[in-house]
Amino acid sequence: MKTSITTTITANIVHQYHSGECQEKSNFYFIVLRKMAARRMSSLLSSSYAPALLRSLDRHSGRATCITRFSTAAALEEPITPPVKVEYTKLLINGEFVDAASGKTFPTLDPRTGQLIADVAEGDLEDVNRAVAAARKAFDEGPWPRMTAYERSRILLRFADLVEKHADEITALEVWDNGKPYEQAARDEIPLFIRLFRYYAGWADKIHGLTIQADGPHHVQTLHEPIGVAGQIIPWNFPLLMFSWKVGPALACGNTVVLKTAEQTPLSALYVSKLFHEAGLPPGVLNIVSGYGPSAGAALACHMEVDKLSFTGSTETGKIVLGLAAKSNLKSATLELGGKSPFIVCEDANVDEAVELAHAALFYNQGQCCCAGSRTYVHERVYDEFLEKAKTRALQRVVGDPFKKGVEQGPQVDSEQFDKILKYIRSGVENGATLETGGERFGSNGYYVQPTVFSNVQDNMLIAKDEIFGPVQSILKFKEIDEVIQRSNASQFGLAAGVFTQNLDTANRLTRALKAGTVWINCFDVFDAAIPFGGYKMSGHGREKGVYSLNAYLQVKAVVTRLKNPAWL
């Protein structure tokens, strides 16, 4: 019944888009879908939870004891004023920053306080049409796909140099809009953003086809051609990195782009797009539309002049996006979707090292990471030691203003994500897991959540099945390797996995047995520019990063020429 309703809604969206009916109706159907999902969640999670009355059974004695409140992190103080000015809040279409056709704007908020940062132009159907038209003309008539690959490479390299020059401002915008720690963004994300564009600049003049031997007097070659206009939809958890994962390979291959930012975090993409044009990018090659998924995202996904679609986000939204792509012009779609990645700690593990790595695998970026090691499977022989040390490490985690030095965890991105995480924590308690630490709001302002650790987690609990996307570590016990393989693979997701062991045979066995697009051995979250990333099962289609991502933005054409009296075949 639910499937048929969803199918009908999706079909109606596409019909209305192509028949020119009002955008509000299309928007209505997405609202219905969102409410359906909300009702489904609320039916699973009881609303009777009261944080002040939470009790948990002591693991050793079975006594009912009060949960220890998280109290060791840095106290929240008056928010630090970000060292950057917001200058770019309009849509970027055909090389110009312009208002939305409707004149509407939407607020982007500071997750530290919930207060306004800036009002941003709200793009919708008409703006997507304008952006696609600009990208179409730039591809069909403009210089970008016709210039030498070497010149495209030089523009990408100049852009990377400009980002490096303005790294401080870009980092500050990313932190202010998203809530991630400044030190994390400056150390990890901005350097990788720059590296990715230099990596794809290096590929631009190395994209070529093959000559092929045929059974007969024919010369056969393949051409690798840009696919055309690429529609791209990025998420809010890593706005700049997702920008680079998508825009880098698309431009290197000679395509043009219309990119929709996440409504929670539009600012950094608009800023760096200005730098792209300073680097010499022709007008219309890169267009940015900020706006909401049900309006701007839907219009982009089902646009008949978009040749390729790339989406990163939740699995549920990915299903809708894929349906829109298929029901319009059957455009190909790359989907990087949700995950519930196992992190397996074997009995031979160095427990101290395993605790720290598992902590980083889960809590990095406030837990807002699609590949987070959110199912921590620990061998029964080291389980108790691991649990005590994991709890201690969580209590030591420094939560506070992300602009403050030494802070490890900032706020969640917005109130919706904040509320969702707390609901999942409540469900964990109600389903019988032991809340070891955390579980509540941190402070009284903004969207901060205490680092939370659960023990005695069972595979059928929501906290072990669903993608929480927050700082909630679920620790599960296992006995045998065959058992943990089966349990790890018994998930709709297959994005990533982590294995911590000193035994090479164990590592090799798990590497081949786990159904996941990435398996990290004695490490986690290694995102080198050349390493492909993507999922099995409902974690998506296709790969981002590395040489594999180029395939998504290229068409392969076979050219066959008859030979007369060839000297050789």
Side-chain angles (χ1 to χ4, degrees), residues 344-350 499-504 506-508 510 521-522:
I344 301 169
V345 180
C346 299
E347 62 180 309
D348 64 347
N350 178 311
V499 174
F500 204 87
T501 180
Q502 300 179 55
N503 187 298
L504 181 61
T506 300
N508 283 334
L510 287 166
I521 306 295
N522 296 331

Side-chain angles (χ1 to χ4, degrees), residues 195-454:
R195 177 69 180 95
L196 278 155
F197 275 100
R198 288 175 176 157
Y199 174 84
Y200 285 113
W203 267 114
D205 59 358
K206 300 170 186 66
I207 297 170
H208 49 74
L210 303 170
T211 57
I212 299 169
Q213 291 285 354
D215 293 335
H218 297 93
H219 173 75
V220 183
Q221 67 186 90
T222 58
L223 302 177
H224 289 185
E225 301 178 346
I227 198 167
V229 176
Q232 303 178 331
I233 302 173
I234 60 174
W236 48 259
N237 57 334
F238 292 99
L240 280 176
L241 283 184
M242 298 301 100
F243 180 105
S244 63
W245 287 19
K246 298 186 186 304
V247 173
L251 295 188
C253 292
N255 299 280
T256 58
V257 171
V258 177
L259 181 140
K260 191 199 87 69
T261 59
E263 58 267 29
Q264 298 90 341
T265 55
L267 298 179
S268 55
L270 292 169
Y271 185 100
V272 298
S273 297
K274 180 264 294 189
L275 298 180
F276 240 132
H277 288 88
E278 285 186 24
L281 193 73
V285 175
L286 175 62
N287 305 272
I288 308 292
V289 178
S290 51
Y292 293 98
S295 49
L300 187 60
C302 63
H303 203 291
M304 294 295 288
E305 291 296 316
V306 171
D307 303 301
K308 161 71 187 176
L309 188 66
S310 181
F311 169 82
T312 297
S314 72
T315 295
E316 289 303 313
T317 305
K319 292 178 183 179
I320 297 172
V321 166
L322 183 60
L324 294 173
K327 289 178 181 294
S328 53
N329 59 347
L330 204 63
K331 61 178 69 67
S332 65
T334 300
L335 304 174
E336 198 262 283
L337 307 177
K340 192 67 177 178
S341 302
F343 185 98
I344 301 169
V345 180
C346 299
E347 62 180 309
D348 64 347
N350 178 311
V351 174
D352 289 333
E353 293 179 2
V355 165
E356 187 60 35
L357 190 60
H359 180 86
L362 185 283
F363 290 102
Y364 186 81
N365 205 50
Q366 291 74 257
Q368 297 170 155
C369 189
C370 56
C371 59
S374 52
R375 289 184 290 158
T376 308
Y377 288 102
V378 182
H379 193 276
E380 61 180 8
R381 293 185 182 175
V382 294
Y383 181 88
D384 288 341
E385 180 186 359
F386 181 97
L387 178 58
E388 287 303 317
K389 291 180 176 179
K391 175 182 175 180
T392 299
R393 178 64 181 91
L395 285 165
Q396 294 169 346
R397 188 167 183 81
V398 182
V399 182
D401 189 327
F403 283 99
K404 186 175 181 180
K405 186 176 181 180
V407 165
E408 298 175 279
Q409 180 176 314
Q412 310 307 132
V413 71
D414 63 10
S415 60
E416 182 178 351
Q417 188 64 21
F418 174 83
D419 291 339
K420 172 188 170 185
I421 294 165
L422 292 180
K423 285 182 180 179
Y424 273 112
I425 292 171
R426 296 166 197 169
S427 80
V429 173
E430 291 163 1
N431 289 333
T434 303
L435 181 58
E436 295 288 343
T437 188
E440 300 181 33
R441 179 179 199 150
F442 180 69
S444 57
N445 295 317
Y447 309 126
Y448 295 87
V449 175
Q450 295 175 351
T452 298
V453 176
F454 278 105

Side-chain angles (χ1 to χ4, degrees), residues 19 57 88 93 107 140 166 174 198 210 279 296 300 305 373 401 438 446 454 467 470 499 514 532 543 552 558 567:
S19 64
L57 289 178
Y88 304 98
I93 298 177
D140 292 344
H166 295 277
E174 187 84 336
R198 288 175 176 157
L210 303 170
L300 187 60
E305 291 296 316
D401 189 327
F454 278 105
E467 186 177 35
V499 174
L514 294 170
R543 293 294 180 268

Side-chain angles (χ1 to χ4, degrees), residues 107-141:
T108 185
L109 305 178
D110 184 344
R112 302 175 302 164
T113 62
Q115 296 177 354
L116 180 70
I117 298 175
D119 289 308
V120 179
E122 182 183 336
D124 56 24
L125 174 62
E126 186 173 348
D127 302 296
V128 169
N129 285 339
R130 289 194 293 162
V132 172
R136 181 86 268 160
K137 184 175 182 180
F139 183 79
D140 292 344
E141 304 174 20

Side-chain angles (χ1 to χ4, degrees), residues 50-64:
L53 300 178
L54 262 183
R55 296 292 184 268
S56 174
L57 289 178
D58 183 277
R59 290 194 321 280
H60 305 295
S61 65
R63 299 187 307 271

